[in-house]
Amino acid sequence: MGRPRLIILIRHAQSEGNKNREIHQTIPDHRVKLTPDGWEQAREAGRRLRALLRPDDTLQFYTSPYRRTRETTDGILETLTSDDPEPSPFKRSNMKVYEEPRLREQDFGNFQPCSAEMERMWQERADYGHFFYRIPNGESAADAYDRVSGFNESLWRQFGEDDFASVCVLVTHGLMSRVFLMKWYHFSVEYFEDLRNVNHCEFLIMKKQEDSGKYDLQNNLRTWSELRRERAAIKAKEDKELVDSGKEKEPNKLERQNSTPVPPRKWGGCPQGCDHGKNFKIRRDLAELLQHDEHAAKHNFTHVVPEVNGTIASRRAPLKRTQGPNNSDDDSDDPRGRVAPHIDVTRAQEEVVSSPDGTPSFITIDDRLRNALKTPQKSTFLHIGRDFGGTYSGHASEEEVSDNDARERLAAKAARVKSGERNGTTPNGRELSANRHAHANRLGDAPSNSDQGSDGGDEAEDLDKAEQEDRSIRGSVY
């Protein structure tokens, strides 16, 4: 079947927590059950779903593991599969029902505090923003968005199965329904916070378009801004009627409350007064340094002459100090404490450019030759590889050379091999053997003559020659 033709989101029916919020102080949120009115709402939702479906539709349910959503699903299935008043084409044995923890309600903490504290929390959330405000010991709507995103991806992968149902029903919660739509249709945070809650057992229907395969939302979502506009229009109409009738308008209770100035609420900081500075005092020398820095920054000083009590930056030694390598107070590598080197740009332009990327170099060819002669020879007990490690790592790989150098080396190697094969010996007079080209598995701390065969000397000499070439002008990149 592939993708379903309908995706239906259903908010749970009325629960005991919807009638009495104080119940969350003693009963965990996931154990709150439906009220008798809620059970009737769930059964009525099953009848409406039955009228919405086709006789050949197949159904697959995903429900939140909370008790109120599982009971809502049971009420829907009760009337959906009932043979009253007429036989139902939908059998319970043909439906798949899965509990999906990612569809659970936003976590509001564990046992909730008193009603006054919860009311203060709701006001704080309204001022902070519904999407990013995190409930103490709980979640924010952004946290719920993250797990709904994972569920959407899992659901989309299941749509690729051939035997997936034609109608997918998600029984979840009010906020999770809005978060699901936000993820699916890429709502902005501002639009999400403007959305009003979904009614109990209200259907949010997403219908697949045959031509594009996309899902169109069939509902008009209610928003707070729209409600404010409606109330403003009604109020303007009433005021106009009062003016036309010549009667004076009496301020209602809400207007009388709004006439008194209300001080702005302060949620962050220390609302009861800050006393954190009683037991903390900044060091005097640090306070003076900070004052110096603030004064310099205020007057846009690019450089402050170091004084006895100079700034923090001026107290750094301009030259590298000799301290232990493990000294945690060593800041000699701080670039702000170094003297900038003087660069002779004129000389750099006159010198021969020797690096591949065109960087000028102060090292002349004569300096390179002198340094190559002064380079210490490799220790007998240390074999430096291509990666300059203590082993032969990389010694069998080809170095990066130009095409001309590669052809010259191959020609020289072919000449040596040819002369050796003609005489039946190697160029050094040794006889050829079957294992001539085998590589020894040597470590860097092994002597060259300790466990090597008859060809160990040639390989070491070749390596010495390669290293000398690498250190020469031809092998250098600087």
Side-chain angles (χ1 to χ4, degrees):
M1 179 66 187
R3 284 190 259 177
R5 70 179 188 88
L6 291 177
I7 301 176
I8 303 176
L9 286 84
I10 304 177
R11 184 193 176 191
H12 63 82
Q14 184 190 61
S15 68
E16 293 180 345
N18 298 126
K19 292 190 65 176
N20 180 16
R21 292 187 176 182
E22 295 183 357
I23 198 175
H24 295 288
Q25 300 176 16
T26 56
I27 299 179
D29 192 19
H30 62 277
R31 294 182 184 173
V32 176
K33 58 184 179 180
L34 295 183
T35 63
D37 292 340
W39 275 103
E40 185 58 35
Q41 291 175 355
R43 296 186 183 99
E44 180 61 27
R47 299 186 188 97
R48 288 189 285 117
L49 180 61
R50 181 173 173 175
L52 185 65
L53 300 176
R54 301 172 182 171
D56 58 341
D57 275 331
T58 57
L59 290 93
Q60 185 160 321
F61 283 78
Y62 293 92
T63 176
S64 163
Y66 279 33
R67 179 174 179 176
R68 53 185 178 271
T69 50
R70 289 188 285 114
E71 290 181 348
T72 302
T73 304
D74 292 340
I76 292 174
L77 294 176
E78 178 183 340
T79 53
L80 179 63
T81 60
S82 174
D83 292 335
D84 184 27
E86 56 184 11
S88 173
F90 309 105
K91 304 301 178 183
R92 179 64 182 86
S93 58
N94 298 333
M95 300 180 189
K96 298 178 181 179
V97 180
Y98 298 99
E99 285 189 6
E100 178 51 67
R102 289 175 289 185
L103 292 178
R104 69 186 184 276
E105 175 64 294
Q106 177 186 2
D107 193 348
F108 292 100
N110 301 320
F111 293 106
Q112 294 183 6
C114 63
S115 300
E117 174 61 19
M118 290 302 299
E119 185 62 29
R120 185 205 67 82
M121 190 185 303
W122 301 143
Q123 293 181 12
E124 183 180 14
R125 183 177 71 164
D127 289 350
Y128 191 88
H130 282 68
F131 187 75
F132 293 110
Y133 180 81
R134 179 172 284 109
I135 306 294
N137 299 321
E139 285 183 310
S140 65
D143 298 328
Y145 180 92
D146 292 340
R147 52 183 166 88
V148 165
S149 300
F151 171 72
N152 280 15
E153 295 172 359
S154 302
L155 188 66
W156 189 261
R157 286 193 297 270
Q158 294 183 25
F159 285 172
E161 300 176 359
D162 296 334
D163 58 344
F164 197 85
S166 62
V167 177
C168 179
V169 182
L170 309 179
V171 184
T172 180
H173 307 265
L175 182 134
M176 299 307 296
S177 299
R178 288 174 282 156
V179 169
F180 182 92
L181 297 178
M182 177 185 182
K183 169 62 180 175
W184 193 284
Y185 293 108
H186 306 284
F187 292 164
S188 65
V189 174
E190 291 76 16
Y191 182 67
F192 169 82
E193 293 182 343
D194 192 32
L195 290 175
R196 297 170 61 188
N197 202 358
V198 184
N199 294 327
H200 293 117
C201 287
E202 180 180 355
F203 289 6
L204 298 177
I205 303 174
M206 303 164 58
K207 186 176 182 180
K208 186 180 75 171
Q209 301 301 313
E210 297 298 335
D211 52 349
S212 62
K214 297 182 179 180
Y215 288 86
D216 288 346
L217 185 61
Q218 306 297 305
N219 304 71
N220 292 324
L221 301 178
R222 298 181 298 274
T223 61
W224 292 107
S225 57
E226 181 183 359
L227 179 62
R228 286 191 291 268
R229 287 193 296 268
E230 292 176 356
R231 289 179 176 177
I234 294 174
K235 182 175 178 300
K237 183 178 179 181
E238 292 176 352
D239 294 344
K240 184 178 180 182
E241 291 176 355
L242 290 174
V243 171
D244 294 342
S245 61
K247 297 180 180 180
E248 294 183 359
K249 178 187 175 183
E250 296 182 0
N252 54 28
K253 181 179 179 181
L254 183 61
E255 290 177 345
R256 286 194 300 268
Q257 290 178 353
N258 294 337
S259 60
T260 16
V262 179
R265 293 187 293 263
K266 181 179 180 182
W267 304 111
C270 301
Q272 305 300 330
C274 180
D275 58 350
H276 292 96
K278 291 183 178 180
N279 300 323
F280 170 76
K281 290 185 178 180
I282 189 172
R283 281 167 40 190
R284 182 177 179 181
D285 55 344
L286 290 180
E288 293 176 355
L289 293 174
L290 290 174
Q291 186 177 2
H292 253 282
D293 288 344
E294 293 175 357
H295 178 73
K298 183 177 180 181
H299 294 82
N300 296 324
F301 289 165
T302 58
H303 177 69
V304 179
V305 179
E307 301 174 0
V308 178
N309 294 325
T311 63
I312 296 178
S314 65
R315 291 182 61 180
R316 293 190 175 90
L319 299 178
K320 185 174 182 180
R321 295 176 294 182
T322 56
Q323 295 185 3
N326 297 326
N327 191 347
S328 60
D329 295 332
D330 182 17
D331 59 354
S332 57
D333 57 345
D334 194 330
R336 294 173 295 181
R338 299 177 184 175
V339 178
H342 176 70
I343 301 177
D344 189 356
V345 182
T346 308
R347 184 184 176 188
Q349 294 176 351
E350 295 174 356
E351 290 293 340
V352 178
V353 176
S354 60
S355 63
D357 58 353
T359 305
S361 173
F362 294 125
I363 305 176
T364 62
I365 297 178
D366 296 337
D367 294 336
R368 295 179 187 276
L369 292 176
R370 284 195 298 271
N371 291 335
L373 295 177
K374 295 178 182 179
T375 302
Q377 297 298 325
K378 182 180 63 117
S379 173
T380 309
F381 299 95
L382 182 61
H383 304 281
I384 304 178
R386 289 283 171 81
D387 57 356
F388 298 98
T391 67
Y392 263 146
S393 57
H395 78 283
S397 61
E398 293 292 338
E399 62 177 328
E400 295 183 1
V401 295
S402 62
D403 295 341
N404 294 332
D405 293 340
R407 283 193 291 268
E408 290 178 3
R409 294 188 182 185
L410 289 176
K413 185 176 180 180
R416 291 197 301 268
V417 173
K418 187 175 180 180
S419 62
E421 290 179 352
R422 186 179 298 118
N423 300 327
T425 60
T426 63
N428 294 329
R430 295 183 177 88
E431 294 183 359
L432 292 172
S433 61
N435 298 328
R436 174 64 183 87
H437 298 285
H439 294 286
N441 185 14
R442 298 182 296 178
L443 293 176
D445 55 354
S448 60
N449 56 355
S450 60
D451 57 349
Q452 311 306 321
S454 60
D455 57 346
D458 292 343
E459 191 169 349
E461 292 176 2
D462 293 342
L463 182 61
D464 293 338
K465 184 178 179 180
E467 289 176 3
Q468 293 178 3
E469 291 179 354
D470 287 341
R471 296 173 185 268
S472 64
I473 301 174
R474 181 172 55 184
S476 175
V477 296
Y478 293 97

